[in-house]
């Protein structure tokens, strides 16, 4: 699995092709058409996406793009602090375009994922992880239950 470098608070997410190109070049990487198009799609969508959804949307702009390419690009973007992984509670991996600290609500029935902006101190969880020999990268709270639509119906 890739080594993840946490995004520092002084590192802003790239908001243009030029900024992404610069960030990639700083790491000795090229700004390929796949990376640029996928970054544009993520900026345009600004929601939780699966790799398969991103592949479907990218296919019209990038004929021949493959799911492994989408995953490797998303993992690179995670390393750059552009996206982060979110599990929908049903085993499906989603990619979140919000880089700031926030938490998630996950519907057990339909898999809907929503952001919640509640400040929580998770330093105790990180300390416990370190005491157990784990090198924590990120901590968040995931609240599972039923979304409003599923609770009604």
């Amino acid at each position: 699995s890739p080594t993840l470098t946490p995004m520092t608070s002084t590192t802003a997410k790239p908001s243009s092709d030029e900024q992404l190109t610069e960030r990639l070049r700083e790491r000795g990487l090229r700004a390929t058409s796949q990376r640029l198009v996928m970054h544009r799609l993520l900026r345009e969508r600004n929601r939780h996406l699966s790799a398969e959804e991103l592949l479907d949307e990218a296919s019209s702009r990038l004929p021949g793009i493959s799911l492994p390419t989408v995953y490797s690009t998303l993992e690179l973007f995670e390393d750059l602090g552009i996206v982060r992984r979110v599990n929908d509670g049903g085993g499906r991996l989603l990619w979140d375009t919000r880089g700031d600290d926030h938490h998630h609500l996950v519907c057990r029935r339909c898999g809907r994922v929503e952001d919640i902006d509640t400040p929580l101190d998770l330093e105790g969880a990180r300390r416990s992880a370190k005491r157990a020999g784990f090198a924590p990268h990120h901590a968040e709270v995931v609240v599972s239950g039923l979304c409003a639509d599923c609770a009604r119906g």
Side-chain angles (χ1 to χ4, degrees), residues 51-140:
E52 293 79 9
E53 289 173 309
L54 196 54
L55 175 65
D56 288 343
E57 296 196 26
S59 293
S60 63
R61 299 185 196 186
L62 295 166
I65 190 169
S66 67
L67 191 56
T69 299
V70 171
Y71 272 109
S72 64
T73 302
L74 286 167
E75 289 170 356
L76 170 63
F77 286 174
E78 182 181 39
D79 190 34
L80 294 173
I82 296 169
V83 296
R84 69 182 202 196
R85 298 168 194 241
V86 177
N87 190 308
D88 76 349
R92 189 172 67 138
L93 180 62
L94 300 176
W95 298 87
D96 189 350
T97 57
R98 277 187 62 184
D100 62 320
D101 284 337
H102 65 283
H103 309 285
H104 293 97
L105 303 170
V106 177
C107 181
R108 290 188 336 247
R109 186 171 295 155
C110 70
R112 182 176 177 176
V113 177
E114 292 185 28
D115 294 336
I116 47 175
D117 295 305
T118 302
L120 298 170
D121 183 4
L122 298 177
E123 194 51 42
R126 287 186 200 92
R127 280 195 304 274
S128 292
K130 287 178 185 174
R131 281 195 299 274
F134 190 79
H137 171 260
H138 171 75
E140 71 175 289

Side-chain angles (χ1 to χ4, degrees), residues 6-20:
M7 186 172 87
T8 63
S9 58
T10 58
T11 306
K13 284 188 352 181
S15 60
S16 67
D17 288 352
E18 294 77 20
Q19 289 176 358
L20 177 63

